[in-house]
Amino acid sequence: MDAQGRGRAENIDPADQWVLNPNTGEYELRLSPSAPQSAVPGPRRSGSGSGGGTARGRTAPDRQSSSPGEAADAEVPSPRRRRGVPAEEPAANRRGRRPVKKKSKAKKILLWTGGIMAFVLVGTAGAAYLYLEHLNDNITSVSDDGASTGGFSKDKAINLLVIGTDKRTGSGNEGYGDANSVGHADTTILLHVSKDRTNATALSIPRDLIVNVPDCQTEQADGSTKVIKGSDNVRFNTSLGQDERTPSCTVRTVTALTGIQADNFMVADFNAVKTLTTAVGGVDVCLAKDIDDEDSHLKLSKGTHTIEGEQALAFVRTRHSVGFGGDLSRIALQQQFLSALMRKLKSNDTLTSPTKMIKLAEAGTKALTVDSQLDSIDKLKDLGLELGKLNVKNLTFTTVPVVDNPAEKVKATVVVNKSTAPTVFQMIKDDVSFTEVKEQAAASKNAAAAAAAARLKGTQSAASAVRVQVMNGGAPAGSAQETLNWLQNDEGVTKSENAGNAPAVLSRTTLEYAPDQADQARKLAAVMGLPGTALKPGKSVENSQGLPTMTLTLGKDFKGAGVSLTAPTAVPDTVQKSTADKVECAK
């Protein structure tokens, strides 16, 4: 829309400009009666209205300016055929157009909405590419300062860090807690989506969890860099805002805590909850008891309620009236709320409503601050479409396992539960589903896992009969000798030797062996805690005595002599989890 047209249309509901074309089954932008319609809005002309400037200091992509003659040469859509009038036959000597099998409207809308049903903020951004390119101007982006992987990939698992701050900007937000907050990491979720897109895990990180915040290099407004000093034994929420820390500092803190590096991050403030719930027409929540919380201003009776706007924000902020009245109880409430919101977003009355989809696109892009790798609608759309492949029944919400801080007499903070948290972190790192996935891709993965597990079944030789050479293929320096000493002195594997560095670096530890050495391989796997995937049937080599021997190559995953490398396959029973498809009532 050019500068002249913008002034006339500024009071028009954008949703009213989209109409369903019965001939194509697609939504099209309705312009003036004389203007041609397009199923997908084209780029705006450079120099329109704003004088070529860009919003929030971002550089706009180059666009070719249109000359006055281009409009006359542009292809004009064919006139619509009236009902009952036969279709015109193709002219002689011309090939007819091959009929195209069209997707149903529901499937098209599902494709367009992308990540909406996988995660609310990503989903609304994925749907946003339906709308005008001006949505790019809604997006605020900040540098990731090298803290992330550099962006998600379509052929890999995705790790997205979503940070909700307690910054009280916007009308009506002053009454919630500290009105002068600089914006700490109040609600943080690490969303892991599996490589095959069949399942996902949303890991909540308590704001009062005691962590070590590492030094953080950040980009300043003038382009220079500044290293913000880290802090040990502090609350997790201080990884953002405190001492001018940026979202990249939170990313680094999560990596240090879990061993998982985020591909991208998103930040949202209080207004995100209000605008998104209003755009979707409210979210249904269930209460197992009456709630009257003076701090959050939430007053609801027992039962099911539809909430939006201020009331929705009060719902996710309340904590004194649910559970044990602490932050962990509020996390559980927020997880229930997000599950309900995603169910609403996935429902037909949302997906098939152009009005709601446009409002979600507007609200979602305005609510987001994203890293510099996600600073356009196209990038958000690509991410949304990847996440949109997920079925919410396989999206598991869980929380970092914690225990009360033993250093405190009055319990106010928590620390990582060292007996269960490492398993949760490792399962996410290893792309292990927290739910049972009954889909073809998962079945294929399970078949491969079954084949690997079969290599561990069968007889095992005595430890003294195991002949193996140990090589370092990416483990810390000295690992080969450390392992050799442990095998010989503690485990009785005396026919072993150090073969130095491997010719190549491996990401995972492997044990290669000949068919007649399978019983030795199974014994060594049992001693070292090697998974079946580490066993590599192949051939033997000769050791220093000229005798056939197996080759154990320690990869980057090697954690130390005697530390098992077998990945966990099930969530510990003590870890609480829920899936997004189930309705739960707050207690």
Side-chain angles (χ1 to χ4, degrees):
M1 184 179 296
D2 58 23
Q4 295 177 348
R6 184 177 299 148
R8 293 191 302 269
E10 60 183 359
N11 296 322
I12 298 176
D13 185 346
D16 293 337
Q17 296 179 277
W18 288 86
V19 296
L20 178 65
N21 185 335
N23 294 328
T24 64
E26 297 178 348
Y27 284 96
E28 299 178 347
L29 185 63
R30 179 174 59 194
L31 302 175
S32 61
S34 60
Q37 296 180 353
S38 172
V40 180
R44 293 168 294 174
R45 298 178 181 179
S46 60
S48 62
S50 60
T54 58
R56 296 181 177 91
R58 291 187 292 105
T59 302
D62 293 336
R63 298 184 176 93
Q64 296 180 353
S65 60
S66 301
S67 63
E70 283 182 339
D73 295 335
E75 181 180 351
V76 178
S78 302
R80 296 180 178 175
R81 176 169 52 87
R82 296 180 180 177
R83 292 185 179 179
V85 178
E88 182 179 347
E89 294 294 335
N93 300 325
R94 292 182 61 185
R95 297 175 62 183
R97 181 173 297 176
R98 180 176 297 177
V100 177
K101 182 178 180 181
K102 296 184 180 294
K103 296 180 181 179
S104 69
K105 181 173 72 174
K107 288 184 178 180
K108 286 180 180 179
I109 294 174
L110 191 62
L111 176 64
W112 288 339
T113 58
I116 268 187
M117 54 181 161
F119 202 80
V120 56
L121 296 180
V122 178
T124 54
Y129 83 109
L130 283 172
Y131 193 38
L132 301 176
E133 199 173 274
H134 83 81
L135 289 177
N136 280 316
D137 295 336
N138 290 346
I139 302 172
T140 301
S141 66
V142 295
S143 175
D144 73 343
D145 298 316
S148 68
T149 64
F152 76 97
S153 298
K154 294 182 179 180
D155 58 346
K156 296 180 180 179
I158 298 174
N159 291 304
L160 177 68
L161 190 65
V162 181
I163 308 169
T165 75
D166 60 354
K167 197 168 186 178
R168 273 73 175 169
T169 56
S171 176
N173 296 332
E174 301 84 359
Y176 295 97
D178 181 9
N180 299 316
S181 174
V182 294
H184 294 112
D186 195 53
T187 301
T188 305
I189 296 176
L190 177 63
L191 177 66
H192 171 85
V193 182
S194 67
K195 179 179 179 180
D196 60 14
R197 309 296 188 251
T198 62
N199 63 91
T201 302
L203 178 69
S204 294
I205 303 175
R207 68 173 189 178
D208 296 328
L209 174 65
I210 296 299
V211 298
N212 294 332
V213 177
D215 293 346
C216 180
Q217 178 175 299
T218 60
E219 181 180 330
Q220 303 300 297
D222 60 1
S224 63
T225 58
K226 175 183 177 181
V227 176
I228 300 176
K229 184 73 174 174
S231 303
D232 291 341
N233 297 316
V234 294
R235 279 180 166 88
F236 174 83
N237 68 341
T238 61
S239 64
L240 177 66
Q242 196 81 11
D243 300 324
E244 299 182 342
R245 292 187 178 115
T246 64
S248 65
C249 299
T250 304
V251 174
R252 296 183 196 276
T253 305
V254 171
T255 301
L257 171 68
T258 66
I260 303 166
Q261 187 177 20
D263 299 307
N264 298 99
F265 65 77
M266 292 182 174
V267 183
D269 60 18
F270 282 0
N271 288 324
V273 175
K274 296 195 294 186
T275 57
L276 289 171
T277 53
T278 300
V280 79
V283 176
D284 296 333
V285 295
C286 180
L287 299 178
K289 62 179 181 180
D290 296 343
I291 291 183
D292 189 357
D293 189 341
E294 294 182 357
D295 291 330
S296 69
H297 316 299
L298 179 67
K299 186 174 182 178
L300 289 174
S301 60
K302 176 182 178 181
T304 302
H305 300 269
T306 301
I307 59 175
E308 64 178 86
E310 291 287 349
Q311 196 173 41
L313 178 59
F315 184 87
V316 299
R317 293 296 302 162
T318 191
R319 58 172 173 163
H320 298 302
S321 300
V322 293
F324 296 103
D327 187 51
L328 295 179
S329 297
R330 184 174 65 171
I331 287 176
L333 188 72
Q334 291 172 344
Q335 291 174 348
Q336 294 169 17
F337 174 81
L338 288 173
S339 296
L341 180 53
M342 283 184 285
R343 290 193 298 270
K344 181 62 177 289
L345 289 166
K346 188 184 175 184
S347 65
N348 288 334
D349 65 335
T350 299
L351 292 175
T352 58
S353 171
T355 300
K356 288 183 179 179
M357 295 308 299
I358 295 301
K359 289 180 178 179
L360 281 168
E362 292 281 358
T365 51
K366 288 179 180 178
L368 295 174
T369 295
V370 299
D371 70 79
S372 49
Q373 305 297 328
L374 289 176
D375 61 354
S376 72
I377 291 298
D378 283 343
K379 295 176 182 178
L380 288 169
K381 176 260 295 182
D382 289 342
L383 176 60
L385 290 177
E386 287 301 305
L387 301 182
K389 299 174 183 178
L390 174 71
N391 190 321
V392 293
K393 71 178 182 180
N394 296 326
L395 169 57
T396 302
F397 283 96
T398 190
T399 305
V400 173
V402 297
V403 295
D404 288 334
N405 189 349
E408 296 176 335
K409 291 183 178 179
V410 178
K411 305 304 180 183
T413 62
V414 293
V415 296
V416 168
N417 186 332
K418 295 182 179 179
S419 65
T420 53
T423 299
V424 171
F425 299 156
Q426 193 63 46
M427 287 182 66
I428 295 176
K429 289 174 65 176
D430 292 340
D431 202 21
V432 178
S433 175
F434 279 46
T435 59
E436 183 179 358
V437 181
K438 298 179 180 179
E439 298 190 24
Q440 186 173 357
S444 176
K445 179 189 292 187
N446 292 339
R455 298 173 194 150
L456 300 175
K457 297 179 180 179
T459 59
Q460 299 179 9
S461 66
S464 58
V466 174
R467 189 179 291 113
V468 62
Q469 64 174 11
V470 184
M471 305 183 75
N472 192 328
S479 294
Q481 187 60 44
E482 176 193 359
T483 301
L484 181 66
N485 295 339
W486 174 73
L487 287 174
Q488 292 181 344
N489 300 330
D490 297 349
E491 299 299 330
V493 184
T494 55
K495 296 177 181 178
S496 51
E497 62 183 31
N498 187 344
N501 292 328
V505 175
L506 302 180
S507 59
R508 296 185 179 276
T509 298
T510 62
L511 175 61
E512 185 173 5
Y513 58 96
D516 60 351
Q517 296 172 318
D519 55 345
Q520 295 183 45
R522 286 190 286 267
K523 179 61 178 178
L524 187 62
V527 169
M528 294 195 62
L530 298 178
T533 52
L535 272 60
K536 182 181 178 182
K539 60 182 181 179
S540 63
V541 296
E542 291 185 354
N543 63 9
S544 57
Q545 287 80 39
L547 299 174
T549 183
M550 302 184 296
T551 301
L552 174 66
T553 305
L554 306 178
K556 290 182 178 181
D557 62 337
F558 181 74
K559 299 180 177 65
V563 180
S564 175
L565 290 177
T566 300
T569 58
V571 183
D573 294 337
T574 55
V575 175
Q576 294 183 342
K577 60 187 181 73
S578 62
T579 52
D581 63 317
K582 295 180 180 179
V583 178
E584 297 188 27
C585 297
K587 299 178 181 180

